[in-house]
Amino acid sequence: MTAAGPPSTVLVFSHLPAVRAQVRSAVGRRPAPDLGRIEWVECSTGDEVIARIDEGGIDVAVLDGEAQPTGGMGICRQLKYEIEDCPAVCILLGRRDDRWLATWALADATIERPLDPIAAAETVAQLLRDRARGVPVLR
């Protein structure tokens, strides 16, 4: 436990290792001074995401909306309908115009590509703060 708070677990999903690395690099190990360190969990398939979230302990999931063969938006919608205490979900968008799809998927937030490290860190930090305060995620 750090002085700022307990560590958080953030899942990042993409079929591309480079995209997962970009998200981890953009958000960093500690996205804000008031938060503890992030422990990253990487998933490369939709089945891995579902299984890992079913295990529990995930605070925020960052899902690649353009992952293949199963995209993050479909996974997000499934999670929101099937998991009782679903973690906050952020969709990584390839195009700004796809925000409406993220809304359909019941995503709590979005991050656009190319990744802006400041925006990415702020988005994940706010989702972690909300989760810690018990703010309900979208359902």
Side-chain angles (χ1 to χ4, degrees):
M1 185 164 171
T2 65
S8 301
T9 304
V10 177
L11 180 145
V12 61
F13 160 69
S14 178
H15 72 290
L16 298 172
V19 172
R20 296 191 307 267
Q22 289 168 0
V23 171
R24 282 191 338 270
S25 178
V27 174
R29 295 277 304 182
R30 191 166 174 191
D34 62 315
L35 297 172
R37 293 180 64 92
I38 288 179
E39 295 175 9
W40 289 97
V41 173
E42 291 191 40
C43 295
S44 60
T45 69
D47 289 339
E48 289 176 8
V49 173
I50 301 297
R52 185 56 185 88
I53 290 179
D54 276 344
E55 290 176 19
I58 301 295
D59 298 299
V60 172
V62 179
L63 308 179
D64 183 356
E66 306 210 353
Q68 296 184 18
T70 306
M73 291 194 209
I75 294 169
C76 177
R77 190 164 173 93
Q78 179 180 349
L79 291 170
K80 293 297 184 171
Y81 279 109
E82 294 180 358
I83 304 295
E84 182 66 30
D85 186 24
C86 186
V89 178
C90 179
I91 301 289
L92 181 59
L93 299 176
R95 298 178 322 136
R96 181 183 188 122
D97 292 344
D98 288 340
R99 271 200 183 141
W100 73 272
L101 283 170
T103 300
W104 168 85
L106 306 175
D108 300 288
T110 60
I111 302 173
E112 296 173 24
R113 265 190 262 195
L115 289 175
D116 172 355
I118 294 172
E122 286 176 356
T123 299
V124 171
Q126 189 57 54
L127 291 173
L128 289 169
R129 286 184 198 107
D130 290 348
R131 180 86 170 159
R133 287 192 338 256
V135 174
V137 295
L138 297 177
R139 238 177 175 233

